[in-house]
Amino acid sequence: MGHQRVKALDYDDDLDSDDDYFEEGEGDGEFLLKLFTPTQKNMRQGTIEVKAALDDSISISDKEIEEALWHYFYDITKSVTYLKNKHAPMPTKVAAQKKSKQVSRFDRAANSAMNTQVQNASGTVSPYPIPQKPSLEHAIISAAEFFKDVPWLKVPPHRRGDIIIEPLYPRGGLLGGSSKPSKLAALAAARKKKLESEKNSFAAAAAVDAAEQPTDKVVSLLDRLNIKGQGKQDVAANVTKNEISSASVLPIPTLRKYPARRKRSSSPRPAETREDKPASVPASDNLIEILDLRAPPSTFAATMIGAHRPEPRAQSPEGSMFSLYANRPEVANANPFSGPSPDDIVMNAQAKGNKSKKGPLKQPNGGKTPSNLADSVSSLTVEEAPKVKSKNLNVLEEFEKSNMKRMANFVVIGHVDHGKSTLMGRLLYDLKVVDQRSVDKLRKEAENIGKSSFALAWVMDQTSEERSRGITVDIATNYFETEKTRFTILDAPGHRDFIPNMIAGASQADFAVLVIDASGNSFESGLKGQTKEHALLVRSMGVQRLVIAVNKMDTVEWSQARFNEISQQMTAFLVAASFSPKNLAFIPCAGLTGENVIKPPLEKVIPGNWYSGPTLVEALDASEPAKRALSLPLRLTISDVFRGGVIHPISISGRLDAGSLQIGDSVLAMPSGETATIKSVEIEGMPADWAVAGQIATLHLADIDPIHLRLGDIICTPSAPIKNVKSFTAKILAFEHVVPMSVDVYRGRMNAPARVSRLVAVLNKHSGEVEKKRPRIVQPGAVARIVVELEREMPLEVGTRVVFRADGNTIAAGLLEIS
Amino acid sequence: MRLLKQQIDRKDGSGFATLLPEEPEDMWHAYNLIQPNDLLRARAMRRITKESDSGSVASTRIAMDLTIRVTSTDFDVGSGQLHVAGKVAVESEYVKLGSFHTLDLELQRKFTIEKADGWDSVAVEMLKEAIDTTKRAQVWAVVMQEGLANICLITEHQTILRQKVEVPIPRKRKGGLDGHEKALDKFFSTLLSTLLRHLDLPAQTTPYKPLLLASPGFIAESFKSYIHAYATRTTNKPLLTLLPSILVAHSSSGHQHALAEVLSDKTVLSKLSDTKYARETALMDRFFELLRKDDGRAWYGPREVERAVEKGGVGRGGGVLLISNALFRAQNVVDRKRWVGLVDRVREVEGGEVRVLSSLHESGKRLEGLGNVAAILTFPLEDLDEADENEVEDGDGEL
């Protein structure tokens, strides 16, 4: 009784959920309805036969028998079995399970061909290579259980094949099954299961319902049959799909043999069996589930399973999502990499250590899910990190082999508010290094605090302080590449207070871009201020080539006169600062609007179209590749020490001034004199095996305490360490008066208090001969030799370029002579 | 320092003075006053070993007054401790003449100095300065830059570096802004807790000494607002009362020598104009300004200054002799005499002004770089350095 009631109650729901196929069948509905009506005679006849077949002990109403007959499409045997089972001690489960077993594609095809009831010959052998119908006595693994670790899509063929091994023998019935309309059966089962919990409360009402509206029920059943029939006629595959969707929620009889099943499936199956499977085993075979263990998948999901079956995917034969990898040697060994990656090591260890909690699933192609990655990452930290192994590369050879694109680092310098950051923001934006969306976001944020013109600068200025104050404080590093060269931008702060940071940036640069504000008095004030100081600084740090971007040309209407005036003044000044005129390039541009940054300005922008020279990017591209001190011993100035995340607790970055390094190298940090091992290397944010002079590399270190690493320290090779010195003699070019005084000594990021202890001599600017011994004071512009005493020992060697500053002014720059 | 007793002959300067140091600064004065060969008498603890006739040895610690002839002095700036080593000059029951002893001068424990060669003008002036009980300005200063701070106490006579705070701060980096800001916060909290430990606010009697914060950029400003936020959050009353006396100034770096720059700042000067430090700093600035002009009116270095004084350049109407008190601490008696003579000559014969700069102040350190002595002349003098080129070749010494 319960069965019917449930059906009646749930009818509408089913309609909804099965909309997909119903729609398709709409057109043929009426025809099919007619087709099926005459079978009422069969129904009556069948009822009598079933009654006869059933034991007396079981009392079953005619209605139930009719119902069963409907389900089994007048298959007497099946109906009888169904009814018997239904009223047996485990009624619902067995019945449903039986039904599910009969859902074979062949069955349905045969079924649809038949219009009248056919008595199944119980001895008939299925033409399929595999028996379609599992016997009741056989343990059946639930479909849901079996599939619970399977993604909804792409059921792998070998996975499906597991079922084949199950000794499923034909049971009485034509072609190993009855003519039961499995679709209906599935629906019934689904309804039953869904409503099992509600059954009690609704039982009474349902019974009334069922009794009062038998016609309705018949109609509804017919409706469904119509659709069913249509489906059958359409495509067999289609039916299968429907089957799967409904089958996934079918009840299941028992779990008895579950462990045995598991054991068998965990071993690799013969390939031939697997090959057969996709064709021979309809998915309906597997459509069994453990009762009430988990919620059934949504119709959508179920549909999706059927729709995309064929793509194979490595799967676990066992219950866990993560179980496959560990137990499948062929997968585990299918590592395309030469050695075991850290992930592999962890996974293997996990598999060994804890079988029940399997290693993360990993595709042979290296694909990982994010959660797996997180898993392996966290396990990595728990485990003892494997000792870093050097690949013993010949880095110089590798470098030549790699045939890398030209690389250049340039520092962007100039007076404060001359638009350095904005120009670079524009450059990156126009080169699509920064996407529209982030720029739009920055624009909005900038407008919110009323500084809309700062939006592009914020691409470079990222700290809250820089943004709220509208100035750059520290070097911002960014990358872009043109057809010829890979560039690293070092955007320096213009404010005089942050010149130490600018020096740090300039020390990493191959050439410099000097940004000059063309408007109003800005150029003039800059020339007195940091335009001058920066230019002198970069020159004294060895930068030879200068690209002068005459910025904000839009504010002076692209006046050629103004451009020429600035060019002339700057050329005079820069040549005096010992830049060679051929190494200077003047480029008019407008950072805010973007003219002549990467695209030449439109004709109407420039009055008279007087400028036809290169754009800023073209000028950058024209730079000569810097010479690399590849064969010298390693020298790297630390420009940043940070925590690179959980895996890399100590990371440093900086430019390799000389030499090369590779993963696994042991390096020496000076002045602390501590050694460290290079765990990994990153260049421009990408992992690398080695780095050579001229590159700005990020090194992840091991075996060192961060206390021994400070900004400005030098990383060198233990075989040729740099020495710590307490005092040194330097040949300097004075920018201001130099007397014996307290100074700050700058070398890259390094910044140390010191004292000029003695002025040894003033030298001739050109010949270098001593002009005056023991001068009282060194005048600006003079070249002199001085002795400097450091407050504490610093790693410095002969030939190092240093800058001396005092009271916020750069007083001199020089070259170490004797340390 | 309190003068308990004084008996100094005006004519030949012979005599003694008994002093009672009351605060750590007084140790610095004592350090400047006590010269080698002086007689120093103070309370001392000495372990006395006695061997009885039977041969057993008994050792006892006995407190006694000891007089020693000073051989060397040792001053620890940080803790303000002065150790004076010498030979016992007056025999007593327990101690033999000529045995060595090191006296540890302590606060609230009197001592007596008797000058070997009499009290010269510089010594008398130092004594006067030491016993000057007028209110002295003291300023706490924090010179800082990102990741580095020097906590200093500036007193009338010395600048004491109390603590250096260094916290590594990662630079800004793509995707690494978090680290930068976290580290900055950590830097501030470390600095503040260190600073509070040194200030020892609740123990101080009001009014609090002003606190000077100086840095390039906005670090000092940010730190001030950090203190403000901290004080408000924790309702730290002493700190809240300190807040109004916090001064923010600009310096070009966070190193200690940047203090000189801070103290020449006009706004800071107006608050500290009374301190000797500020006056000295202003004077040094003036000297350097003249030196840059290179018109022959500013000279530095022992020989040059001596020569300038000889030629009467450091006289009435603007002549200033800047000299570091380090020179008067010279272990060599002859050297000291040389400098005392120079000071006396400028003051009494030439009529110029003499400024003895404390070698523990930044200004004194700047002067130290110039050979501890410099002069601003009333008229330009050229080529004071030419004549001695040859001497320099072999001598190489500044002094």
Side-chain angles (χ1 to χ4, degrees), chain A residues 99-319:
Chain A
K99 275 179 270 171
S100 73
K101 290 303 114 193
Q102 293 160 343
V103 189
S104 91
R105 197 199 282 179
F106 186 83
D107 280 355
R108 269 171 271 115
N111 211 358
S112 65
M114 281 186 302
N115 225 354
T116 52
Q117 178 226 348
V118 176
Q119 188 81 6
N120 284 338
S122 68
T124 316
V125 178
S126 163
Y128 283 80
I130 300 121
Q132 294 300 302
K133 196 168 165 229
S135 74
L136 267 181
E137 292 77 28
H138 265 282
I140 285 106
I141 187 166
S142 121
E145 174 64 18
F146 182 76
F147 277 102
K148 74 177 182 194
D149 56 333
V150 179
W152 289 114
L153 306 176
K154 304 172 185 174
V155 178
H158 68 275
R159 178 59 191 276
R160 278 180 249 142
D162 282 354
I163 289 91
I164 301 160
I165 295 160
E166 205 54 32
L168 308 173
Y169 299 113
R171 231 178 120 263
L174 180 63
L175 301 172
S178 76
S179 56
K180 174 208 72 165
S182 51
K183 157 74 173 149
L184 268 183
L187 287 173
R191 276 197 298 274
K192 182 185 279 177
K193 186 181 174 314
K194 249 194 221 165
L195 286 187
E196 218 149 40
S197 56
E198 302 167 42
K199 200 161 63 178
N200 293 337
S201 54
F202 285 107
V208 174
D209 231 31
E212 281 177 0
Q213 302 167 332
T215 18
D216 285 1
K217 200 194 325 172
V218 171
V219 171
S220 71
L221 287 170
L222 281 174
D223 278 353
R224 237 173 281 174
L225 266 181
N226 290 344
I227 283 104
K228 182 86 197 113
Q230 183 266 332
K232 286 172 206 158
Q233 285 161 358
D234 274 2
V235 228
N238 209 3
V239 177
T240 318
K241 174 171 82 181
N242 297 347
E243 282 313 321
I244 297 151
S245 62
S246 43
S248 60
V249 295
L250 281 179
I252 205 237
T254 169
L255 290 171
R256 241 183 312 138
K257 289 234 181 152
Y258 185 67
R261 171 62 161 265
R262 178 142 64 166
K263 201 199 274 170
R264 193 176 314 168
S265 55
S266 66
S267 65
R269 270 139 305 228
E272 41 168 313
T273 326
R274 219 181 291 167
E275 275 161 31
D276 288 345
K277 271 170 246 156
S280 61
V281 187
S284 52
D285 258 324
N286 311 329
L287 306 176
I288 314 150
E289 84 170 13
I290 293 176
L291 187 65
D292 277 344
L293 279 188
R294 65 198 84 236
S298 70
T299 312
F300 174 72
T303 311
M304 293 306 280
I305 295 180
H308 305 77
R309 196 151 358 135
E311 284 177 53
R313 185 167 164 174
Q315 271 310 329
S316 159
E318 291 176 47

Side-chain angles (χ1 to χ4, degrees), chain B residues 196-236:
Chain B
L196 287 179
R197 212 160 43 237
H198 283 287
L199 291 181
D200 202 11
L201 287 176
Q204 268 189 45
T205 48
T206 47
Y208 293 140
K209 296 162 191 164
L211 174 62
L212 184 61
L213 306 177
S215 81
F218 331 107
I219 300 288
E221 195 67 53
S222 308
F223 184 54
K224 190 188 174 185
S225 34
Y226 182 88
I227 297 178
H228 195 283
Y230 176 84
T232 320
R233 196 173 67 239
T234 56
T235 57
N236 184 333

